[in-house]
Amino acid sequence: PTKPLFLMSTNTDAAASESSTAHQIDVFWHEGMLHHDTGNGVFDTGIDPGFLDVLEKHPENSDRVKNMVSILKRGPISPHLSWNLGTHALIHELLSFHTPEYINELIEADKKGGKTLCTGTFLNPGSWDAALLAAGTTLSSMKHLLDGHGKIAYALVRPPGHHAQPSQADGYCFLNNAGLAVQLALDSGCKKVAVIDIDVHYGNGTAEGFYSSNKVFTISLHMNHGSWGPSHPQNGSVDELGEGEGYGYNLNIPLPNGTGDKGYDYAFHELVVPSIHKFEPDMIVLVLGQDSSAFDPNGRQCLTMEGYREIGRLVHGLATRHSDGRVLIVQEGGYHVTYSAYCLHATLEGVLNLPLPLLEDPVAYYPEDETFSVKVIEAIKSYVKDKMPLWRTD
């Protein structure tokens, strides 16, 4: 039998009261970001081998984001959301994170009709305008929080950004949207910013941008994938801890494939939450990728809607304690066109700390074995206790 997609409280008065008192999320979006066309091929290569009748869309395509927009506008969470129009970033704003040489390379590539910047990362006609919109929309989201207009902002953006390093593109990313927002927060008076990245891939670009800073604590939970070439020289391993004043302010949590809901929950409680408590940030940025989900074609981490919902709840608790409830959520990966939208919905439910799930999981349970991931997390915890100043007890 078909299961109901909406879970409604039987106590309608309590539900109405909760709806009126719960924090709203300000969503920032602009449909111009749909104009970034990544093309077709064998997965993300853009290659037609000549012997396939059906070439698939590049995984980072506009359909995935269209579903995210529609589930938020028409799904049960819609009363908790307000919508804001995104804007283009200005070139001088990009230079707060990126080098002039790299920005000039992108501008020239756009003028010449496009360029393959690295494997799977194609700047095509319309891509540069979409990238400027993604960066500007994320900056507008952060400014909204800094100006005191809200507590939770969600930058629903593409192209993604967390792999883009100060001087090069990487992993479908041109401009580091989250990194630009973090720098804006610092420039606007925030003393310490924490970045929690749950995309299935290491947020290497964001980490690289603040690798020498003790004002930004970058935390990345990711599949243990290592480096994938010249565009991604970082390994995402536990020994990449930062350098200079930033030593000990980059925490990598490479997780085994199939870690799942329980494993991520354990990693949060054993590593992420204690680290944030020690760092005491006055702004939190959640870098959100649904490619850690159970059914994503680009990852194998087996998170379900409930896992994402619980991560959202934990981030809500951290923000309540440390950043006056302020959280900026920045969209990154998530390539299952349907399930990514559902997992987004669940994450935002958690960040709002709603008492009951609003939307049922259409695929539900995925088997997981948490025993291996627990061993890995304990090993990481033992390592950072010895290496990271924030964790030392001596």
Side-chain angles (χ1 to χ4, degrees):
T2 303
K3 293 184 286 187
L5 292 181
F6 295 83
L7 297 180
M8 303 300 293
S9 170
T10 55
N11 187 336
T12 55
D13 290 339
S17 174
E18 174 62 30
S19 177
S20 65
T21 57
H23 287 147
Q24 293 288 115
I25 297 179
D26 292 293
V27 182
F28 286 76
W29 159 251
H30 194 294
E31 66 178 11
M33 289 180 280
L34 298 176
H35 298 155
H36 171 45
D37 183 359
T38 46
N40 299 329
V42 176
F43 199 60
D44 64 0
T45 64
I47 295 173
D48 179 355
F51 46 71
L52 296 176
D53 280 345
V54 180
L55 293 176
E56 59 188 315
K57 290 183 177 181
H58 188 290
E60 204 294 281
N61 61 71
S62 60
D63 289 348
R64 56 184 281 270
V65 177
K66 288 177 183 177
N67 267 357
M68 292 176 185
V69 172
S70 62
I71 201 170
L72 297 187
K73 287 192 171 181
R74 303 200 300 270
I77 202 170
S78 60
H80 298 277
L81 309 179
S82 62
W83 290 81
N84 303 267
L85 187 64
T87 58
H88 291 84
L90 302 175
I91 297 301
H92 75 84
E93 293 176 315
L94 305 180
L95 300 179
S96 68
F97 186 91
H98 294 287
T99 64
E101 294 79 11
Y102 173 57
I103 297 303
N104 286 335
E105 177 189 356
L106 295 177
I107 293 171
E108 289 304 310
D110 177 59
K111 289 179 180 178
K112 294 177 180 178
K115 182 179 181 180
T116 299
L117 295 168
C118 58
T119 302
T121 308
F122 309 111
L123 189 80
N124 292 325
S127 300
W128 179 234
D129 187 72
L132 289 173
L133 274 172
T137 297
T138 308
L139 288 169
S140 296
S141 305
M142 176 59 85
K143 191 172 188 302
H144 186 80
L145 299 181
L146 294 169
D147 290 345
H149 297 313
K151 295 290 187 181
I152 310 170
Y154 169 46
L156 177 44
V157 295
R158 74 177 285 265
H162 73 148
H163 295 311
Q165 295 143 73
S167 60
Q168 65 177 347
D170 180 38
Y172 317 160
C173 304
F174 307 110
L175 301 172
N176 196 304
N177 307 314
L180 289 163
V182 169
Q183 189 59 55
L184 175 62
L186 295 175
D187 293 342
S188 301
C190 287
K191 303 297 183 185
K192 292 187 287 185
V193 181
V195 178
I196 304 171
D197 189 328
I198 62 169
D199 186 279
V200 81
H201 304 109
Y202 176 33
N204 61 311
T206 316
E208 186 72 21
F210 301 104
Y211 211 59
S212 299
S213 174
N214 59 7
K215 296 178 180 179
V216 181
F217 193 175
T218 48
I219 303 173
S220 179
L221 302 92
H222 49 266
M223 177 172 67
N224 190 9
H225 53 67
S227 172
W228 56 56
S231 70
H232 190 104
Q234 303 85 1
N235 287 308
S237 53
V238 293
D239 58 350
E240 293 176 355
L241 295 167
E243 61 188 13
E245 290 185 350
Y247 181 82
Y249 292 89
N250 185 62
L251 172 59
N252 288 336
I253 308 174
L255 297 169
N257 287 356
T259 289
D261 294 348
K262 293 180 181 178
Y264 269 77
D265 186 64
Y266 191 72
F268 259 79
H269 280 97
E270 294 298 312
L271 288 166
V272 178
V273 171
S275 293
I276 298 296
H277 287 339
K278 294 171 188 292
F279 184 61
E280 298 182 320
D282 50 5
M283 180 65 75
I284 294 177
V285 177
L286 174 62
V287 179
L288 177 61
Q290 294 84 15
D291 45 5
S292 299
S293 79
F295 306 101
D296 198 274
N298 220 343
R300 304 289 183 272
Q301 290 307 78
C302 297
L303 275 176
T304 69
M305 284 179 68
E306 184 50 38
Y308 277 100
R309 191 177 285 115
E310 182 58 26
I311 289 173
R313 293 188 190 109
L314 291 168
V315 170
H316 166 87
L318 291 171
T320 299
R321 177 165 171 175
H322 294 292
S323 59
D324 192 30
R326 297 187 301 178
V327 181
L328 172 64
I329 306 165
V330 182
Q331 182 61 47
E332 293 290 347
Y335 306 106
H336 190 292
V337 171
T338 302
Y339 200 53
S340 292
Y342 276 82
C343 290
L344 166 62
H345 195 287
T347 308
L348 299 188
E349 290 177 44
V351 175
L352 284 169
N353 200 33
L354 300 180
L356 294 171
L358 297 178
L359 192 60
E360 185 174 310
D361 195 321
V363 249
Y365 179 72
Y366 192 94
E368 59 183 272
D369 175 11
E370 76 246 39
T371 55
F372 183 41
S373 57
V374 166
K375 291 178 182 178
V376 171
I377 292 162
E378 286 297 327
I380 295 171
K381 185 177 176 182
S382 176
Y383 182 86
V384 301
K385 277 186 174 180
D386 179 56
K387 298 289 185 181
M388 299 185 79
L390 284 173
W391 275 84
R392 288 181 188 152
T393 57
D394 54 343

